[in-house]
Amino acid sequence: MTIEFLQHTLFFPMMIHGLGFLSLSASLVLPWALTGLVQGQKITESLVKDVRQSFPVQQMSLPSRKLISQVSTATTYYVSATGNDRNSGLTTSSAFRTIQRAADLTRPGDTVLIMNGEYTNAPGRGAVLGISRSGTANAWIKFKAYPGHSPKIRHNTWNGIGFAKQVSYIEINGLEVIGNNANVTLSYALSQKYNSSNVLTNGNCINLDGRGGGIHHIRILNNKVHDCGGSGISATGADYVTVDNNTVYNNSWYSVYGTSGMSLLQNWNSDGNQGYKMFITNNRVYNNRMYVPWIQRGVITDGNGIIVDISKSGTNGAYKGRTLIANNISYKNGGSGILTHESEHVDIVNNTAYFNQQSPELKKKGDIYAGYSSDIKIFNNIIYPSPGTNTNTNLYSNVMNRNVTYDYNLYPNLAVVIVRGIHDVIGDPQFVNASNGDFHLRSSSPAINRGYYWSSLTSDFEGTPRPSGSGYDIGADEYR
């Protein structure tokens, strides 16, 4: 898609990632000031639902992940489903009713604790929680579940949680965000495949859109994100984003925009740091899939588990920072489990991808692969494709890819392995119960102690120290 097209289009807040051969990806966004103007009525229908490359590998050190302490003047606000926005919000017994009421008062260092209950978008609003105030480097603003509670954000508008441009130093922690899929049938969604302004089918769960003013230093932690017609967790034009320990599923079903479970699109340089700045780690991502064609091409293009998209031409030039995608479990998605498209400086390490490419249109892409990309390292991954699909692809080798290294990965017997590293392992990974989502390794697994020593990755999907034996295991879980 051309820049001229983007400049002359009415934008809506969905992530678009077109991945067809020689195609460009794009993103559309409705300006923040307009997101509160659209509110659709509820639909009453029920849901119908072998390239060898040189070594050694140069690794980047991970920065400190310690939480930043709050300033002494910080305020804690409380929100409860039985609260009242006329309250002070300063105690559990005087809690606000809406999260937005607290958000509109926050200053650097403040925390909003959200108690049990269901929180929905008010009529005419574009999000249940619209974040427009920033923290600082020494005083983040945090929106967290009250200890022991499991609050739910349910919406049928553009975003469950949306971020204004230029917002920074925000943490979202321990929330459940639920979209509108249960109120949409596939037949209805297909009837809307040319309607880019239908909030009922196109809404996202958690959406950061920094085009026109970059977003930076955002942490999305420990959330459950599901059933949004659009993207699950998406960040466009952002920098220093950590997406860790989330469960993301059943998204991207009905949107006309090419969306995925998790996506980073056109990353933004807030500084010149070339170390790790973007982290997608320890997430479980599954059953995200496109059923409605991307409106710009009329075909199924995405519905991936995790994608890093067009960082070669970020919102202010090629992205200089490095991205770590590690310890994720990505399975049964419509597109690939994990991929990069027109991107660079990405390490895809110790992930488990299983039975992805569920969309027939995408079965030759690969469960984990890089396309039109450079400086990509794909190490220590278990890549277990669906029957009749590829583990990876060489469509982009030599001409379109530069310095893309696959090695120390494990592929099952009889898998179609297009690009193979000299230390790759062929064999049954021996999962405990993959059909039920249990990807722990049995004691006889050939993945044990066969991985590359990735020294900056010191734990696995569940926090177990890595390595736990004589060497690194392959895959998201370290055997113990």
Side-chain angles (χ1 to χ4, degrees), residues 150-163:
S150 301
K152 294 176 172 57
I153 292 176
R154 187 185 297 274
H155 77 98
N156 64 351
T157 188
W158 285 118
N159 300 298
I161 301 176
F163 288 70

Side-chain angles (χ1 to χ4, degrees), residues 39 44 121 139 152 210 225 277 301 322 357 417 436:
Q39 170 70 25
T44 57
N121 50 285
K152 294 176 172 57
V225 175
K277 299 202 289 179
T301 56
R322 197 160 197 92
Q357 305 170 87
V417 184
N436 287 326

Side-chain angles (χ1 to χ4, degrees), residues 13 25 31 36 50 74 93 103 119 122 125 133 149 172 176 183 203 258 275 311 326 366 389 426-427 434:
S25 301
D50 213 87
S93 59
Y119 303 88
R125 289 200 65 91
R133 291 172 170 242
H149 285 222
I172 306 294
E176 182 173 358
N183 300 311
S311 74
T389 66
I426 304 297

Side-chain angles (χ1 to χ4, degrees), residues 55-338:
F55 293 90
V57 174
Q58 303 241 334
Q59 295 186 42
M60 309 291 294
S61 297
L62 277 71
S64 172
R65 306 287 292 280
K66 293 181 180 179
L67 296 180
I68 300 171
S69 60
Q70 296 182 356
V71 295
S72 59
T73 57
T75 299
T76 297
Y77 295 103
Y78 299 87
V79 180
S80 168
T82 59
N84 191 315
D85 280 354
R86 295 179 181 177
N87 290 340
S88 68
L90 298 177
T91 66
T92 56
S93 59
S94 63
F96 293 134
R97 174 63 182 88
T98 67
I99 310 171
Q100 192 63 53
R101 171 61 175 153
D104 291 342
L105 296 174
T106 53
R107 294 185 176 185
D110 289 352
T111 297
V112 178
L113 293 179
I114 306 163
M115 293 185 276
N116 282 336
E118 188 168 284
Y119 303 88
T120 59
N121 50 285
R125 289 200 65 91
V128 178
L129 170 58
I131 299 172
S132 59
R133 291 172 170 242
S134 295
T136 66
N138 294 317
W140 290 55
I141 296 175
K142 301 177 181 180
F143 296 85
K144 303 173 63 175
Y146 185 86
H149 285 222
S150 301
K152 294 176 172 57
I153 292 176
R154 187 185 297 274
H155 77 98
N156 64 351
T157 188
W158 285 118
N159 300 298
I161 301 176
F163 288 70
K165 302 181 192 313
Q166 300 181 327
V167 166
S168 57
Y169 300 104
I170 301 293
E171 179 179 304
I172 306 294
N173 194 331
L175 308 180
E176 182 173 358
V177 183
I178 310 166
N180 195 49
N181 283 359
N183 300 311
V184 178
T185 63
L186 179 57
S187 61
Y188 175 80
L190 289 171
S191 76
Q192 299 295 299
K193 66 181 180 180
Y194 301 115
N195 187 353
S196 59
S197 60
N198 189 338
V199 296
L200 300 173
T201 55
N202 292 309
N204 309 294
C205 284
I206 300 177
N207 183 30
L208 291 66
D209 197 312
R211 284 163 298 183
I215 293 171
H216 62 95
H217 290 89
I218 306 295
R219 296 193 291 242
I220 310 295
L221 313 175
N222 310 310
N223 304 284
K224 184 185 293 185
V225 175
H226 59 99
D227 289 285
C228 286
S231 60
I233 299 174
S234 55
T236 303
D239 199 10
Y240 289 98
V241 176
T242 295
V243 182
D244 182 76
N245 198 38
N246 301 279
T247 301
V248 179
Y249 61 97
N250 291 0
N251 302 295
S252 299
W253 288 8
Y254 300 134
S255 176
V256 302
Y257 303 96
T259 64
S260 291
M262 290 185 176
S263 55
L264 302 178
L265 175 62
Q266 293 187 310
N267 295 340
W268 173 67
N269 296 294
S270 65
D271 58 25
N273 181 7
Q274 297 182 23
Y276 282 131
K277 299 202 289 179
M278 309 293 270
F279 297 87
I280 301 180
T281 53
N282 308 302
N283 302 286
R284 181 179 290 269
V285 188
Y286 63 95
N287 203 33
N288 303 284
R289 178 173 180 173
M290 287 178 66
Y291 289 101
V292 176
W294 177 30
I295 193 170
Q296 295 304 320
R297 294 186 55 207
V299 294
I300 302 298
T301 56
D302 290 85
N304 308 291
I306 299 169
I307 178 173
V308 180
D309 208 355
I310 322 185
S311 74
K312 281 185 177 180
S313 52
T315 54
N316 60 346
Y319 187 61
K320 299 176 182 178
R322 197 160 197 92
T323 299
L324 178 65
I325 303 176
N327 291 339
N328 300 285
I329 299 175
S330 184
Y331 60 103
K332 296 183 180 178
N333 296 289
S336 299
I338 303 170

Side-chain angles (χ1 to χ4, degrees), residues 22-42:
L22 294 180
S23 68
L24 289 178
S25 301
S27 297
L28 304 180
V29 64
L30 181 68
W32 179 261
L34 300 181
T35 58
L37 300 182
V38 185
Q39 170 70 25
Q41 68 180 50
K42 182 176 181 180

